[in-house]
Amino acid sequence: MQERELAANLVKITPLSSHDGPGLRTTVFFKGCPLHCRWCHNPETIHPFPELKWTKRDCIGCRQCEKACKNGAIDFSLKREYVIDTDKCIQCFSCVEHCPSKALSIIGHKYSPQTLSACILKDEALLKSMDGGVTFSGGEPALYPDFITVLARKLKERDLHLALDTCGQASSSAYEQMLPFLDLLLFDIKEINPERHITFTGKDNRRVIDNLHIIAGLIRKSRLHTQIWVRTPLIPGMTASVENIAGIGKLLNDSFSDLIDKWELCAFNNMCTDKYTELGLNWSLATVPLLTNEEMAALLDTAKKSAGEIKQITASGLIKQNSYDD
């Protein structure tokens, strides 16, 4: 594909992020993901196409959107929590044009590598001064290997640190193509049991583990400088079990301890609930409680015992300080 034809749907570009690699970073959220994790904190990134969002608190009830919708997909008279009928909506977005309060908006906008590069490089000096860089996230950025390869070449000309945050479900050829340009790979291993992985994400974990083996082989063979940080979401009643963490730890310790610089256990939180509401979705995990301090400590201890050769094993995210906290 010609470079001028390349485009990707992005949800947002977040400057000065401290959660997606070393230092302060610009994180680019690509739209589209092969998984449908029950706990997804970025539901707006799952589908690759633009979507309609309605923010109730910004709505002034003028009903101009209702008049503009030719499909009758917007109806305030029913007094529903979400006034858009997603079955009738064809994503023409004429309602957005007629919304004076901007309560209706479009999630997902196309960028070219040139446009995105120019946007990122506005903060080049700041990113370098903060020992940071750029992280490609999502969704699943590895669904856009040609786009990222072209973009990465441009950013590497300016000597920026580049990271890719991936669920591991893309094609092995995509990782092979992008890896030489990456300083860091943030690689998710969510669940060690294949059947439970299907239940929680919609797909088994075979490709995830196979890809990690392929990536490790490429780094060893080509002596690439790419670091690997593994991340595991700790979801109460799902992935936050001693059995799961012990299983992942054994895998990492036995096969990848020479390459993995960090294993991060990421505690669940429900701070994304509003995102589901704005998309007209019900989130089954909205009332799931946080892990307790004791639960996190036990899982972290299990991780350290099962993957003792990994250089750094850490825990992050919100937790309840005591099991008796409300």
Side-chain angles (χ1 to χ4, degrees):
M1 180 179 290
Q2 295 288 330
E3 179 178 335
R4 64 178 179 273
E5 297 175 350
L6 288 172
N9 271 324
L10 305 183
V11 171
K12 61 181 176 180
I13 303 166
T14 303
L16 305 182
S17 169
S18 60
H19 303 292
D20 304 302
L24 289 179
R25 313 183 67 79
T26 294
T27 301
V28 180
F29 291 86
F30 288 76
K31 208 168 187 321
C33 184
L35 298 182
H36 287 74
C37 301
R38 292 187 180 182
W39 54 82
C40 181
H41 275 204
N42 295 312
E44 73 279 13
T45 68
I46 294 175
H47 298 300
F49 47 81
E51 295 178 270
L52 182 64
K53 179 179 80 170
W54 179 56
T55 305
K56 183 178 180 181
R57 66 176 177 272
D58 294 335
C59 182
I60 60 176
C62 67
R63 303 178 74 161
Q64 292 301 310
C65 57
E66 188 176 24
K67 297 174 185 177
C69 182
K70 296 178 181 180
N71 273 40
I74 303 177
D75 190 348
F76 282 81
S77 65
L78 298 179
K79 305 297 182 183
R80 295 175 298 193
E81 183 67 21
Y82 194 72
V83 300
I84 302 166
D85 187 333
T86 54
D87 291 330
K88 293 181 179 179
C89 179
I90 60 171
Q91 306 286 2
C92 69
F93 303 122
S94 61
C95 57
V96 175
E97 299 173 15
H98 291 80
C99 179
S101 67
K102 308 300 181 184
L104 287 165
S105 59
I106 301 171
I107 304 175
H109 296 276
K110 278 191 175 182
Y111 281 76
S112 68
Q114 297 86 347
T115 303
L116 182 53
S117 174
C119 181
I120 291 169
L121 289 174
K122 290 177 182 177
D123 293 325
E124 176 185 1
L126 180 59
L127 294 174
K128 288 180 177 178
S129 70
M130 295 295 182
D131 297 320
V134 180
T135 298
F136 310 123
S137 187
E140 179 47 67
L143 297 180
Y144 299 88
D146 294 338
F147 183 99
I148 287 179
T149 299
V150 169
L151 177 61
R153 282 198 180 103
K154 295 179 183 295
L155 298 178
K156 271 301 171 190
E157 289 175 358
R158 310 300 284 264
D159 198 31
L160 279 171
H161 184 281
L162 302 182
L164 181 84
D165 184 0
T166 179
C167 70
Q169 279 283 352
S171 68
S172 58
S173 61
Y175 295 110
E176 185 173 2
Q177 178 178 330
M178 295 182 292
L179 205 57
F181 301 97
L182 300 176
D183 300 285
L184 173 64
L185 195 65
L186 302 166
F187 196 94
D188 281 7
I189 301 184
K190 307 172 191 295
E191 170 62 52
I192 197 65
N193 182 283
E195 289 76 24
R196 287 170 63 83
H197 200 280
I198 292 175
T199 299
F200 301 150
T201 73
K203 292 188 178 180
D204 69 27
N205 59 5
R206 185 188 314 170
R207 173 172 281 190
V208 176
I209 295 173
D210 286 350
N211 275 333
L212 188 54
H213 279 287
I214 290 168
I215 289 165
L218 290 170
I219 293 174
R220 291 176 182 129
K221 181 179 179 180
S222 302
R223 297 184 179 180
L224 298 175
H225 65 277
T226 311
Q227 291 184 301
I228 301 176
W229 293 3
V230 170
R231 299 203 284 192
T232 300
L234 299 180
I235 314 303
M238 298 183 190
T239 63
S241 70
V242 168
E243 293 77 14
N244 183 43
I245 298 306
I248 294 174
K250 185 177 188 308
L251 171 69
L252 300 182
N253 206 59
D254 291 352
S255 300
F256 308 106
S257 61
D258 60 318
L259 294 178
I260 293 174
D261 293 272
K262 183 178 179 181
W263 181 19
E264 182 179 3
L265 306 182
C266 307
F268 166 82
N269 69 67
N270 59 7
M271 295 176 67
C272 61
T273 304
D274 284 350
K275 292 184 177 184
Y276 283 86
T277 302
E278 290 169 353
L279 290 169
L281 302 173
N282 292 317
W283 189 37
S284 61
L285 276 64
T287 59
V288 171
L290 301 179
L291 291 172
T292 66
N293 189 53
E294 295 93 329
E295 289 169 331
M296 176 60 88
L299 293 170
L300 185 59
D301 183 62
T302 298
K304 291 178 177 179
K305 288 178 178 176
S306 60
E309 296 300 315
I310 302 300
K311 298 173 185 176
Q312 186 179 6
I313 301 175
T314 64
S316 65
L318 298 177
I319 57 172
K320 290 192 292 185
Q321 293 303 305
N322 299 289
S323 58
Y324 50 79
D325 285 347
D326 290 332

